[in-house]
Amino acid sequence: IEEDILMKYTSRLQDCSNECRNCKGCNGLSECKNKVRGFVLTPIKNKNIISFSYIGCDYTKKEEYKENVVLFDISKEIKDANLSNVFRDDKNRVEILKKIMSYYNNFFTDNKDKGIYLYGSFGTGKTYLISALLNELAKKGVKSTVVHVPELIRGLKESFSSDYKDRFATLKNTPILLLDDIGAEYLTTWSRDEILEPLLHYRMNENLPTFFTSNLSLEQLEKHFVLNNSSIDMINAQRIIERIKKLSVPVELVSKNIRG
């Protein structure tokens, strides 16, 4: 580009130069000194003019897959869940790791596995393990949603007059869904029969992959869903359990509490 045209962009080009210089020797997003974290202001030639755009740096590009995992009321740290960080010296994790690797390896084939109902003691990393699988699939462009069931029930009730339908539709249609900590929610007939059952019924009919974590076995979870011991109430509880069984394979994880 001719010098007299370049002179029109002197200040902006200087900004680009400074941001490019900031990137040299940078060791990660936490050290980023640029105006927009993880992006560098870049000049782009278009005939005889220059346009400017923020281009993601290499560190940002490595993190882009995380946008494929939507979190509802879940710690943002879950976005960093990684199978390479899973404890592999604990024999209690062997079965679940085999299930996870089988699911990953078969996901893009016609022999796709069922989801997993992962249950067991507190603090054993159940949510982390399933989220690590979802993050690996996210790197392949697969979108998923992770939702904490107790907060989901509370949040949907509070948003009933506003974005209730939108949130519920998102959960119904997300390509992969993880219902975290099911069985820990404050249960009412409304949350059981108007939220959980329709959600699971829809995903079962549409053959949409669904995962669960819980501190309760399926037998214990069925008792949790029984509210008044009437025959109709028991049938409604059984309907949910049957849908969970259609959607997932139960795997128990009894391991050390890694939180404490």
Side-chain angles (χ1 to χ4, degrees), residues 41-80:
L41 185 63
T42 306
I44 300 171
K45 178 186 174 184
N46 184 7
K47 295 183 179 178
N48 260 349
I49 63 173
I50 299 176
S51 60
F52 296 86
S53 179
Y54 282 100
I55 306 296
C57 70
D58 289 341
Y59 294 112
T60 296
K61 291 174 182 176
K62 289 179 181 178
E63 301 286 310
E64 283 179 349
Y65 75 90
K66 294 182 179 180
E67 299 305 313
N68 287 328
V69 182
V70 177
L71 305 181
F72 284 169
D73 303 308
I74 295 286
S75 170
K76 295 296 187 292
E77 294 176 357
I78 288 300
K79 286 213 171 188
D80 294 322

Side-chain angles (χ1 to χ4, degrees), residues 2 11 29 40 42 44 86 89 106 135 152-154 157 194 197 213 222 234-236 239:
E2 296 177 4
S11 177
L29 293 176
V40 57
T42 306
I44 300 171
V86 173
D89 57 350
N106 292 330
N135 285 342
L152 163 68
I153 300 300
R154 183 188 62 78
K157 189 173 182 180
E194 302 298 327
E197 196 280 333
T213 67
E222 183 173 341
M234 291 180 180
I235 290 173
N236 288 340
R239 282 167 61 86

Side-chain angles (χ1 to χ4, degrees), residues 40 47 57 61 63 77 81 90 92 103 105 115 118 120 131 133 145 147 149 157 159 164 183 196 206 212 258:
V40 57
K47 295 183 179 178
C57 70
K61 291 174 182 176
E63 301 286 310
E77 294 176 357
D90 184 349
N92 294 308
Y103 190 89
N105 292 331
L118 185 57
S131 296
L133 167 62
T145 301
V147 60
V149 175
K157 189 173 182 180
S159 65
Y164 167 83
L196 292 175
E206 297 298 320
F212 308 83
I258 59 177

Side-chain angles (χ1 to χ4, degrees), residues 5 38-39 101 110 140 238 251:
I5 295 176
F39 291 80
M101 294 312 302
D110 293 333
K140 301 290 186 179
Q238 291 169 3
V251 179

Side-chain angles (χ1 to χ4, degrees), residues 80-94:
D80 294 322
N82 193 310
L83 287 175
S84 64
N85 295 331
V86 173
F87 295 109
R88 299 179 184 273
D89 57 350
D90 184 349
K91 63 181 181 180
N92 294 308
R93 294 174 178 264
V94 172

